[in-house]
């Protein structure tokens, strides 16, 4: 009977959907070897943060285009800049109407 010997619950096993553990292990081995040989310096950010940020940027067309424009030096108008230009044009227009 199950009165004195109760079964333990099954442990939680989380399987990552978008992570390749083999790649992570290989990358860690490569980084360790480079550090031992003194080939590469230390990075400011971790490689996991860069991969996650890159995955989200590459997931959407809008974010990918915006990051490409920013890297190429293209001018990106934000809402603040647009509103500032509109206010400036209204002030200049009123100024010209007042003195004419």
């Amino acid at each position: 009977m199950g009165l004195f010997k109760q079964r333990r619950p099954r442990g939680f096993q989380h399987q990552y959907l978008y992570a390749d553990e083999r790649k992570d292990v290989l990358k860690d081995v490569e980084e360790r070897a480079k550090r031992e040989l003194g080939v590469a310096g230390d990075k400011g950010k971790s490689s996991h943060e860069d991969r996650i940020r890159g995955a989200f940027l590459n997931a959407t067309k809008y974010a990918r285009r915006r990051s490409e424009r920013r890297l190429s030096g293209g001018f990106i108008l934000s809402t603040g800049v647009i509103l500032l230009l509109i206010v400036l044009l209204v002030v200049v227009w009123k100024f010209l109407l007042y003195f004419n």
Side-chain angles (χ1 to χ4, degrees), residues 43-100:
K43 291 183 184 177
K45 295 179 183 178
S46 70
S47 61
H48 297 295
E49 290 177 5
D50 293 338
R51 274 194 333 170
I52 290 172
R53 185 172 291 116
F56 281 112
L57 281 178
N58 292 331
T60 61
K61 289 180 186 177
Y62 172 76
R64 184 175 50 242
R65 282 188 209 138
R66 186 170 182 190
S67 66
E68 288 171 359
R69 262 189 262 139
R70 183 176 291 142
L71 291 174
S72 68
F75 184 71
I76 299 173
L77 288 177
S78 65
T79 56
V81 173
I82 292 172
L83 289 175
L84 182 68
L85 287 174
I86 290 172
V87 168
L88 184 65
L89 287 174
V90 168
V91 168
V92 168
W93 182 56
K94 291 290 185 180
F95 181 74
L96 290 174
L97 285 178
Y98 181 72
F99 285 108
N100 283 334

Side-chain angles (χ1 to χ4, degrees), residues 5-6 12 14 23 28 35 57 66 72 77 99:
K5 186 176 181 182
Q6 292 186 355
F12 181 73
H14 181 69
K23 268 187 180 179
D28 291 339
R35 268 187 272 131
L57 281 178
R66 186 170 182 190
S72 68
L77 288 177
F99 285 108

